[in-house]
Amino acid sequence: MENTEKKKQIVFSAIQPSGTITLGNYLGALRNWVKMQDNPDYNCLYALADLHTITVRQEPAAMRRNIIDAYAMVMACGVDVDKAPFFIQSHNPNHSIMAWILNCYTQFGELSRMTQFKDKSQKHADNINAGLFTYPSLMAGDILLYQADKVPVGADQKQHIELTRDVAARFNSIYGNVFKIPEGFIPKDSSRVMSLQTPTNKMSKSDENANGCIMMTDTDDVIMKKFKRAVTDSEMKVRYAEGKDGINNLMAIYAAVTGLSYEEIERDFDGKGYGDFKTAVGEAVVAEVSPIRKRYEEYIKDKKYIEECYTRSAEFAIRISSRTVDKAMKKIGFILPKKDQ
Ligand code: TRP
């Protein structure tokens, strides 16, 4: 028992509560969180990265709403705190402590090379705050605090994982083995879902055209309408090919929710028009999203239960991460206060 427990790999991931959760978040990340939590090879721990969201100015009432909504939606997608604690990052002060420590082991030059920083400082040119710059140290702390082996992330976070590994190795080379060097991994079956209106861009809640993005809270009718309006091409043939971005995206979504291969989809829709295909994709997505939305509506009404879930998860996260903080601080040379028995 002891032994098999030891062999389990630790999985950590987090998502920002910066707005409504989209079909892209679900197919690209959350569905995989659930799969990993149910895999006996892994011990999973998940977080809502609310500290990360204040690198961009937030309206307080909207931020509160977003945190609760995202928490309820992640649970509705199937994350079960009895299998994988799911906590709110700011509830565990160790994240802020570790971020400060790691800031002092991360070079200005390294942070300057982060493409996300360059992108975001262009997008928010009026608020290029220090937090936006040191965001990768906070994220590195999230991961290293739990001695994570595996960190499932989207491709856009790869550079941050590389930095996490570099900083952890640097710290270990000075003080000995304090941090596990984590591995990022982009799950093979996670899909990068593109906008239904501008299929060369990632599906995003900030899409100028609301029809481009499916929200996990969209009703069945709205989902069907958005798929029927999805941008395609003039070839009128359901096949996966370069340049057919709209159809490729619809095929990727359809494959993700039905488990069919591209060849099977091409065969099934041979001789049929785009109208039939769009309807089929819409119906398949509705079949997946509708039960999640209904669960979400139940959870969001039950604030007491949500509160109990995040409180219990935070207690667990604090307990586990305190070991790493204590170890790192002792190695650095801090004197720790006497602990209450
Ligand atoms: N930065 C990630 C994103 O925007 C979210 C995140 C924060 C994260 N901390 C993390 C992901 C730790 C993995 C591990 O998508």
Side-chain angles (χ1 to χ4, degrees), residues 20-296:
T20 319
I21 291 193
T22 68
L23 181 68
N25 300 132
Y26 175 67
L27 293 178
L30 296 174
R31 200 169 63 145
N32 188 62
W33 286 16
V34 175
K35 233 185 264 168
M36 293 187 93
Q37 122 196 316
D38 293 329
N39 183 328
D41 295 338
Y42 301 132
N43 270 332
C44 300
L45 182 67
Y46 300 127
L48 206 53
D50 59 343
L51 294 172
H52 281 85
T53 63
I54 65 163
T55 53
V56 173
R57 191 74 67 236
Q58 303 289 327
E59 199 274 302
M63 176 160 161
R64 278 178 215 116
R65 211 176 325 111
N66 285 341
I67 292 172
I68 293 298
D69 284 358
Y71 194 92
M73 185 55 88
V74 171
M75 291 211 310
C77 289
V79 168
D80 175 351
V81 296
D82 287 321
K83 296 179 186 164
F86 172 48
F87 67 99
I88 298 176
Q89 186 188 29
S90 62
H91 293 182
N92 180 358
N94 289 332
H95 289 261
S96 304
I97 297 173
M98 193 50 86
W100 171 251
I101 293 176
L102 295 177
N103 266 336
C104 302
Y105 296 84
T106 307
Q107 298 303 302
F108 183 88
E110 290 178 305
L111 292 172
S112 313
R113 285 193 290 276
M114 294 294 113
T115 52
Q116 183 176 300
F117 171 69
K118 292 187 218 166
D119 291 349
K120 285 206 179 171
S121 44
Q122 252 177 24
K123 237 168 101 192
H124 305 280
D126 56 338
N127 182 23
I128 308 177
N129 61 76
L132 196 62
F133 188 63
T134 61
Y135 175 117
S137 306
L138 179 61
M139 178 163 161
D142 297 343
I143 298 165
L144 299 177
L145 278 171
Y146 303 98
Q147 307 290 344
D149 295 278
K150 275 203 155 84
V151 187
V153 284
D156 60 330
Q157 297 297 314
K158 242 172 110 179
Q159 205 185 17
H160 290 157
I161 303 287
E162 282 309 310
L163 183 66
T164 301
R165 291 166 56 88
D166 290 347
V167 171
R170 178 176 308 142
F171 193 96
N172 286 354
S173 75
I174 307 172
Y175 301 109
N177 248 343
V178 174
F179 299 125
K180 170 90 60 66
I181 310 291
E183 241 169 75
F185 93 108
I186 298 163
K188 265 195 252 66
D189 54 355
S190 78
S191 343
R192 188 170 145 82
V193 179
M194 311 304 277
S195 162
L196 301 183
Q197 290 297 319
T198 330
T200 42
N201 296 344
K202 199 168 131 173
M203 181 179 278
S204 156
K205 43 211 150 205
S206 49
D207 201 317
E208 285 160 30
N209 187 334
N211 286 323
C213 181
I214 305 283
M215 310 292 185
M216 292 300 286
T217 46
D218 282 347
T219 61
D220 299 354
D221 285 352
V222 169
I223 294 174
M224 288 308 294
K225 223 175 276 161
K226 287 181 179 174
F227 276 105
K228 284 187 182 149
R229 289 183 190 155
V231 165
T232 51
D233 55 66
S234 54
E235 192 195 47
M236 307 278 273
K237 206 167 153 46
V238 178
R239 66 181 188 104
Y240 197 95
E242 198 168 331
K244 290 172 66 78
D245 300 311
I247 284 296
N248 294 349
N249 186 39
L250 292 177
M251 284 179 74
I253 294 171
Y254 194 60
V257 293
T258 60
L260 293 171
S261 69
Y262 289 167
E263 296 79 59
E264 287 168 322
I265 298 171
E266 286 171 4
R267 201 175 340 110
D268 290 353
F269 287 90
D270 189 29
K272 294 195 181 140
Y274 286 163
D276 288 344
F277 183 52
K278 289 188 197 180
T279 302
V281 181
E283 282 170 356
V285 169
V286 164
E288 180 98 7
V289 171
S290 188
I292 295 175
R293 185 184 66 244
K294 286 178 187 137
R295 277 200 297 275
Y296 163 80

